[in-house]
Amino acid sequence: MTIKSMHHIGMTVTDLAAAVAFFEALGLELEGKAHMEGEFVDGVIGLDGSSSDIAMMRTPDDRYRIEFSEFQAPQSIDGSSHAPINALGLRHVAFVVDDLDDTLARIKPHGAELVRNIETYQDVLRTCYVRGPEGILLELCEYFR
């Protein structure tokens, strides 16, 4: 048996509203919010007495989703959210955008910080890394058509 598809990527944040606002400005759509607690959730995630609020966001093409979780219990621990790109583990999420400059202008008021430069790779694309809320690292790519 093989994998049918990827369902979502999960990210834990301390400010769910700020994460949702940032990713809405980026262009993701809020699919829904929910409060999660109880034996079912504890059994899945392996944390007894957990309580969290989640927001599921999707790309406009409805292909990809990011689930953001803000825990009330147990308290979240620092997972080195500002680690550099060469640190082990999930480091960034990449998005294709129509207009890189416009996208950066829309997300800057929500705390986006350019990691260094916007670079052009051959005649293929313009790309950059951006830090969002809580150090979430994004790669934004604008392909030349």
Side-chain angles (χ1 to χ4, degrees), residues 44-130:
V44 171
I45 67 173
L47 294 173
D48 293 332
S50 71
S51 174
S52 63
D53 292 315
I54 66 166
M56 186 68 78
M57 301 191 75
R58 66 175 177 247
T59 56
D61 64 2
D62 201 34
R63 291 183 64 195
Y64 305 103
R65 286 168 176 70
I66 300 176
E67 176 187 273
F68 295 96
S69 301
E70 179 183 329
F71 280 83
Q72 290 81 45
Q75 183 177 2
S76 296
I77 59 171
D78 184 4
S80 298
S81 60
H82 287 83
I85 192 67
N86 64 336
L88 298 176
L90 178 64
R91 291 282 58 110
H92 76 283
V93 177
F95 294 100
V96 175
V97 299
D98 288 333
D99 183 328
L100 184 56
D101 297 320
D102 177 65
T103 301
L104 291 170
R106 281 196 332 269
I107 62 176
K108 187 172 183 170
H110 297 277
E113 296 178 7
L114 195 61
V115 170
R116 184 168 289 167
N117 298 326
I118 299 171
E119 298 288 349
T120 301
Y121 177 72
Q122 298 178 355
D123 291 330
V124 178
L125 67 94
R126 292 176 69 220
T127 187
C128 64
Y129 277 12
V130 175

